[in-house]
């Protein structure tokens, strides 16, 4: 067949000019290259589960590796492939759905066979966090500008390996468990709830069963701020007198609005403004409210477990959910911290390579040694990557495709035509029913466009969107599972929320007026 195509092409080329010959041949080989890449990784033979986010290649590259070799080293199994695509700092991460199902079933079986696995996993993960924290401390204490190239790269690779090990230990299991909850967790518990005769309470009971029993780091920061306010009022001190405590607070929480694109590095001035915003609150009352809400979540869950007389296997599912909710929130904290440390290395390496920030953002760690050895660097490849870059990670390694080739592969496999719809569905994360105008948030600078009463629509929410989420009357996301940021924070803030719609950001436009019925999971 291939030689037949060449024969037809040869006849066709006789009728064209030399320049046209070259153009047609280049098109032919370009499309053949796309076809070979798709066939090599069987991209068209898989179904995909995706996440979207604001990010850059350099900060996200590690995440693409983490669900593969680090996970495989710990568990003896992992994802077989992950793909991510960036165009102008907007990223999409694709998991193979078949891998997610396989890994989810495997982990549930492992826990049913050995329930102690959950505590072992938590313990081992905490030990890896200690290792990462030590490398973070060494990086903080090091004057990177005084290190020679080899020492700088050695420290960066040591940090990178610690980050991979911590993050990669269970992310593949966590996301396969959380993001596919509507396919297995909701059907499992809805069947039990209906069989026990509580169908009218289905959504209420299900959300109570899967609610996290640990506070998010957003609530932990608010709680710590309330303690500062309590001390301030107890000792009748001025706001300025709290500066030393706010400096310490900033060191603990400076990373809270980072993402895969930016290291915001919040300072004491920011947290002073946040403290000023709550001066009218009674800290004792607020702290008691937080305690009561957490107690109520645990009490309601325990009562429901008893009421439904859940089996051991069902209890294991809930225990997995609780652990992964806790790990996912803590993991997000260390992801945001990772941006801060990667940024330190990025700045120093950019100086040595004489590359602009926009070029450094589209490098990755494994090519830095080679770049440092070059006398003159061709920056066009980084311009191409900023326009479009697609990275495929497997257990055998990775490939990076840029520019028009990346765009064509992405369009051929991952872009779908959207049909006109009047309503669409997702998973209920927090119940309620409201109406309002749509504001789509894809990048961090979109946050300022969200006004009081808007419906915040995002591929998935992240901590840097928190102030916008506080203004929203409802939250709707493309992705996310029961332990996602949107699900956890919406419950804490009691904002109607529907997650996992798959295409809300593609269907809706800014200004669309929508009804969010988070009692039925319909927009």
């Amino acid at each position: 067949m291939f030689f037949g195509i060449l024969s037809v092409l040869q006849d066709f080329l006789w009728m064209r000019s030399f320049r046209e010959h070259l153009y047609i041949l280049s098109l032919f080989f370009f499309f053949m290259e796309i076809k070979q890449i798709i066939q090599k990784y069987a991209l068209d033979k898989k179904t995909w589960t995706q996440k979207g986010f604001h990010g850059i290649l350099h900060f996200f590259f590690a995440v693409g590796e983490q669900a593969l070799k680090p996970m495989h080293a710990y568990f003896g199994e992992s994802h077989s492939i992950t793909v991510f695509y960036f165009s102008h700092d907007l990223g999409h991460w694709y998991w193979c759905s078949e891998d997610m199902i396989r890994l989810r079933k495997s982990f549930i079986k492992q826990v049913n066979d050995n329930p102690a696995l959950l505590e072992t996993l938590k313990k081992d993960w905490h030990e890896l966090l200690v290792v990462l924290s030590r490398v973070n401390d060494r990086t903080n204490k090091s004057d990177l500008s005084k290190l020679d190239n080899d020492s700088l790269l050695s420290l960066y690779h040591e940090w990178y390996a610690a980050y991979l090990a911590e993050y990669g230990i269970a992310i593949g299991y966590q996301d396969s468990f959380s993001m596919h909850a509507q396919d297995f967790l909701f059907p499992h518990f809805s069947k039990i709830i209906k069989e026990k005769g509580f169908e009218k309470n289905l959504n209420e009971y299900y959300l109570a069963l899967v609610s996290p029993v640990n506070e998010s780091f957003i609530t932990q920061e608010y709680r710590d701020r309330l303690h500062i306010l309590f001390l301030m009022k107890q000792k009748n001190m001025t706001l300025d007198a709290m500066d030393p405590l706010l400096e310490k607070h900033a060191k603990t929480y400076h990373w809270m609005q980072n993402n895969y694109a930016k290291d915001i590095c919040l300072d004491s001035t920011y947290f002073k403004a946040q403290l000023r915003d709550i001066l009218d609150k009674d800290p004792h009352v607020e702290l008691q409210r937080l305690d009561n809400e957490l107690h109520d979540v645990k009490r309601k869950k325990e009562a429901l477990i008893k009421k439904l007389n859940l089996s051991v296997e069902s209890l294991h599912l809930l225990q997995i959910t609780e652990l992964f909710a806790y790990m996912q929130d803590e993991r997000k904290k260390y992801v945001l911290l990772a941006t801060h440390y990667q940024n330190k290395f990025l700045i120093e390496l950019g100086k040595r390579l004489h590359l602009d920030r926009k070029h450094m953002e589209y490098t990755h760690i494994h090519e830095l040694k080679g770049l440092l050895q070059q006398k003159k660097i061709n920056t066009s490849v980084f311009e191409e990557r900023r326009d479009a870059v697609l990275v495929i990670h497997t257990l055998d390694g990775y490939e990076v495709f840029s520019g028009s080739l990346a765009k064509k592969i992405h369009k051929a496999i991952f872009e779908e035509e959207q049909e006109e719809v009047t309503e669409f569905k997702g998973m209920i994360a927090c119940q309620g029913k409201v109406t309002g105008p749509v504001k789509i948030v894809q990048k961090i600078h979109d946050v300022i466009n969200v006004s009081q009463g808007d419906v915040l629509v995002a591929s998935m929410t992240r901590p840097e969107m928190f102030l916008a989420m506080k203004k929203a009357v409802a939250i709707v996301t493309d992705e996310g599972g029961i332990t996602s940021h949107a699900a956890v924070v919406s419950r804490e803030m009691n904002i109607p929320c529907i997650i996992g719609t798959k295409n809300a950001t593609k269907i809706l436009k800014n200004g669309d007026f929508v009804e969010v019925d988070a009692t039925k999971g319909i927009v």
Side-chain angles (χ1 to χ4, degrees), residues 7 39 63 99 105 110 139 145 159 191 198 202 227 246 295 300 342 347 364 378 391 415 434 438 442 452 456 461:
S7 177
Q39 288 178 340
V63 181
D99 280 351
K105 289 180 176 179
Q110 290 179 62
T139 304
S145 66
W159 178 90
K191 181 181 178 183
F198 302 113
L202 176 59
H227 283 297
L246 289 168
H295 175 75
K300 189 170 185 179
Q342 283 185 286
I347 291 170
H364 62 79
N378 180 3
V391 180
E415 294 181 20
V434 296
V438 166
Q442 296 280 43
Q452 204 72 38
L456 191 158
T461 65

Side-chain angles (χ1 to χ4, degrees), residues 203 424-428 498 501 517-523:
N203 289 325
F424 53 93
K425 295 184 178 182
M427 287 190 295
I428 300 167
I498 297 176
T501 64
D517 187 348
T519 60
K520 298 179 179 176
I522 297 174
V523 181

Side-chain angles (χ1 to χ4, degrees), residues 218-234:
I218 288 175
T219 300
Q220 289 167 12
E221 184 279 325
Y222 179 52
R223 186 183 282 276
D224 286 353
R225 203 170 358 122
L226 286 169
H227 283 297
I228 296 175
L229 181 62
F230 182 83
L231 182 66
M232 177 182 163
K233 292 193 172 186
Q234 185 187 50

Side-chain angles (χ1 to χ4, degrees), residues 292-307:
N292 290 341
E293 286 178 355
L294 192 60
H295 175 75
D296 287 345
V297 167
K298 294 178 179 178
R299 180 188 53 77
K300 189 170 185 179
K301 179 179 284 196
E302 288 170 0
L304 262 179
I305 288 171
K306 189 174 180 181
K307 187 174 186 177

Side-chain angles (χ1 to χ4, degrees), residues 32 64 210 325 370 418 442:
M32 285 298 292
V210 299
Q418 292 298 319
Q442 296 280 43

Side-chain angles (χ1 to χ4, degrees), residues 220-497:
Q220 289 167 12
E221 184 279 325
Y222 179 52
R223 186 183 282 276
D224 286 353
R225 203 170 358 122
L226 286 169
H227 283 297
I228 296 175
L229 181 62
F230 182 83
L231 182 66
M232 177 182 163
K233 292 193 172 186
Q234 185 187 50
K235 296 192 175 184
N236 197 26
M237 299 170 75
T238 65
L239 187 61
D240 288 342
M242 308 316 292
D243 283 350
L245 285 178
L246 289 168
E247 287 281 353
K248 186 177 179 181
H249 190 78
K251 286 181 180 179
T252 304
Y253 292 107
H254 66 86
W255 43 267
M256 282 190 63
Q257 289 191 17
N258 289 356
N259 59 19
Y260 289 121
K262 295 183 180 297
D263 174 23
I264 308 297
C265 207
L266 303 172
D267 59 16
S268 60
T269 304
Y270 170 85
F271 289 107
K272 192 172 188 176
Q274 296 295 303
L275 185 61
R276 186 180 289 111
D277 286 346
I278 61 171
L279 286 176
D280 61 336
K281 294 186 181 293
D282 183 327
H284 180 75
V285 172
E286 276 293 282
L287 287 165
Q288 190 62 54
R289 178 184 65 80
L290 294 177
D291 289 341
N292 290 341
E293 286 178 355
L294 192 60
H295 175 75
D296 287 345
V297 167
K298 294 178 179 178
R299 180 188 53 77
K300 189 170 185 179
K301 179 179 284 196
E302 288 170 0
L304 262 179
I305 288 171
K306 189 174 180 181
K307 187 174 186 177
L308 296 172
N309 192 25
L310 295 180
S311 67
V312 172
E313 287 77 13
S314 295
L315 289 174
H316 287 165
L317 286 178
L318 294 183
Q319 288 163 3
I320 294 170
T321 303
E322 288 179 6
L323 176 63
F324 282 178
Y326 162 70
M327 289 183 74
Q328 187 157 318
D329 192 64
E330 279 292 289
R331 188 190 79 197
K332 201 172 279 103
K333 165 185 171 180
Y334 284 93
V335 166
L336 303 184
L337 267 170
T339 296
H340 176 70
Y341 287 98
Q342 283 185 286
N343 193 46
K344 286 176 176 285
F345 289 107
L346 198 72
I347 291 170
E348 179 59 31
L349 286 158
K351 292 175 183 175
R352 299 184 188 203
L353 292 167
H354 306 292
L355 289 177
D356 293 341
R357 173 76 186 198
K358 66 177 184 177
H359 293 141
M360 283 302 301
E361 288 179 344
Y362 281 82
T363 62
H364 62 79
I365 188 170
H366 301 306
E367 63 188 358
L368 293 174
K369 184 175 182 179
L371 290 173
L372 285 166
Q373 293 170 346
Q374 293 181 28
K375 291 183 178 178
K376 186 175 181 181
I377 298 172
N378 180 3
T379 60
S380 62
V381 65
F382 309 125
E383 298 285 354
E384 267 198 345
R385 289 176 180 177
R386 179 173 287 278
D387 184 42
V389 61
L390 184 138
V391 180
I392 300 175
H393 282 287
T394 69
L395 283 168
D396 295 326
Y398 65 89
E399 278 197 80
V400 180
F401 308 97
S402 58
S404 57
L405 182 58
K407 286 181 179 179
K408 292 292 184 183
I409 297 169
H410 187 259
K411 184 175 182 179
I413 300 302
F414 300 109
E415 294 181 20
E416 297 178 359
E417 293 290 329
Q418 292 298 319
E419 298 178 5
E420 293 224 359
V421 297
T422 57
E423 68 176 40
F424 53 93
K425 295 184 178 182
M427 287 190 295
I428 300 167
C430 185
Q431 295 189 87
K433 186 176 180 179
V434 296
T435 57
V438 166
K439 285 292 171 63
I440 295 176
V441 177
Q442 296 280 43
K443 297 184 180 181
I444 194 167
H445 53 252
D446 296 332
V447 166
I448 63 171
N449 299 324
V450 179
S451 302
Q452 204 72 38
D454 286 341
V455 174
L456 191 158
V457 178
S459 181
M460 65 179 187
T461 65
R462 296 193 58 79
E464 69 269 19
M465 299 180 189
F466 180 65
L467 295 180
M469 294 169 76
K470 287 173 68 175
K471 297 178 184 177
V473 293
I475 298 165
V476 179
T477 69
D478 293 343
E479 298 104 38
I482 50 168
T483 61
S484 66
H485 179 264
V488 172
V489 174
S490 66
R491 289 178 202 138
E492 290 183 343
M493 298 169 66
N494 198 29
I495 298 173
C497 179

